[in-house]
Amino acid sequence: MAYGPKIIDHYENPRNVGNFGSQDSMKSDKRIGVGLVGAPECGDVMQLCIKVDEQTGKIQDAKFKTFGCGSAIASSSLATEWLKGKSLDEGLAIRNSDIVQELSLPPVKIHCSVLAEDAIKAAIADYKKKNGQAVEDHDHDHAAAGR
Amino acid sequence: MSLKLPVYMDHAATTPCDPRVVEAMLPYFTERFGNSGSRNHRFGWEAEEGVDWAREMAAKLIGSTDKEILFTSGSTESNNLAIKGAAYMYEKAPAGSKNRGHIITAIHEHKAVLDPVKRLVKEGFEATFLEPGEDGLITAEMIAKALRPDTILVTIMWANNEIGTINEIPAIGKLCHEKGVLLHTDATQWVGKMPTNVETDNIDLMSWSGHKMYGPKGVGALYVRRHRPRVRLQALQDGGGQERGFRSGTLNVAGIVGFGKACEIAMNEMAADAIRLGRLRKKLEDALTAQIDVSKINGHLEKRLPHITNISFGFVEGEGLMMAVKNIACSSGSACTSASLEPSYVLKALGVGDELAHSSLRLSLGKWTTEEQVDYAIGEITKAVKKLREMSPLYDMHKEGIDLSKVEWAHH
């Protein structure tokens, strides 16, 4: 597939690859929220980790690891970039359509942006659960889901 | 000498034209432009001579007679004509009725075989779609079990386009002849690469294409047996009655001459090419599987074409991998590289899990693939898999000892 320059850039120079330790250590750290979405047999799995500043309540760091195509990697890379410095509510306001627009994702790749939005929501929900905050049930009002 | 990029390793998709093929074709666009059907002037005779020569070369390559070769636009057309043309000719009941006859094929055939068979099923024929084992092979024994009194046609490819595995064609043909059933084989990946003799290999109908054997695109052939048994077909395209009425339409003379030249070259060179490419592939596979853990070659390890390899690299996705090795032109069984967004049905047929099907790369070597190119591919792919695994949550989990099949995935 011929991709636009922004996807290629994120794919070739992915921002914020990584995590904040092993699965177990992240689970026990209350400052960290982990969202793991997708499935290997579907061809894409995203793990998005956020670290929240307990003083300000803002996302101080975000990291990702993604098994997937170029668009999936670019979408998650962009998501981590956008999340840094945002409050949880601001993070929840990121829509998959914003990602589609920013990266100029082709129509068949829209599901990659949906997955990235899901990963953001899952990571924030995980953090909230760990910290005894109510998790709102978000409806899936994605723009034109790819599958 | 510096390596010219990108490197082409997708010869199972198509091959470049041999310059000798192009040279043979050129006069047929200009001074010998005639219609081979024009019987009454020199222009027509010259064109016909070219076509006759090409037919002779095609026949020689496969051990048939000239009269058993039909020229078509390629394997898709040859497959359609063989399968539908034979089904309509040998049907047990007329159009509009049920139980018109039984056809045997396999689930990992090319779409150009599967779809004609599926259409026939809609039209009242019945079909058995054989499932291979994890080696990908279709054997005579599998065919024997599927044969029925009303079986009219068996259509099994000679070698698979995605994994290169070689089905037991001579043995399947022998069985079919004993039972009085026709055998068609889609030999697109086979002919011109491997020795073929339709007599000793017991074939009744065989399709192949010019562009998979260093000839031009848009031209192919169908072998139709004339003796023991004499195979008849119902034409699918009506018109001027060319190709003994089997395939109407003005002949693609230049293309056919190129096809003939490609057949002639293949006869002389394929044996040496196969040995050389087998050696290069071995180098490629040995290096990749040694340097990359959790990598697996798909399909039977011995019974396959010497120039194709299909390897799954666990925990990395095929399209992502192809982007990372952008200077190597190859293909993948990943869903993201297919129009259907489904992973390769061929790999699924072998029981390769969806996850590893998404992670597969097909590299197919050709006549002009060099050792330098293979070395480059080894380096690039190894580097790319390493880079993508550093980004892969699945590889982390694997290293932490988590069984990925036990994880409850949030299916999207």
Side-chain angles (χ1 to χ4, degrees), chain B residues 174-245:
Chain B
K174 185 163 175 279
L175 174 71
C176 287
H177 282 175
E178 282 164 13
K179 304 285 180 187
V181 173
L182 294 179
L183 171 65
H184 166 250
T185 185
D186 175 355
T188 309
Q189 299 289 346
W190 176 274
V191 173
K193 313 279 170 58
M194 304 295 276
T196 308
N197 184 302
V198 289
E199 289 307 322
T200 53
D201 294 330
N202 312 309
I203 291 158
D204 298 316
L205 292 155
M206 182 170 77
S207 310
W208 81 103
S209 241
H211 77 103
K212 305 282 195 200
M213 45 177 232
Y214 311 99
K217 293 174 183 60
V219 57
L222 177 64
Y223 158 75
V224 185
R225 175 175 287 278
R226 295 248 292 176
H227 300 287
R228 285 172 296 149
R230 182 188 182 91
V231 178
R232 291 173 304 149
L233 298 175
Q234 191 178 105
L236 302 180
Q237 183 163 300
D238 302 318
Q242 286 88 345
E243 297 299 87
R244 294 184 295 117

Side-chain angles (χ1 to χ4, degrees), chain B residues 139-151:
Chain B
T139 64
E141 199 187 333
M142 293 177 188
I143 303 289
K145 283 186 189 147
L147 279 171
R148 305 195 324 207
D150 64 338
T151 305

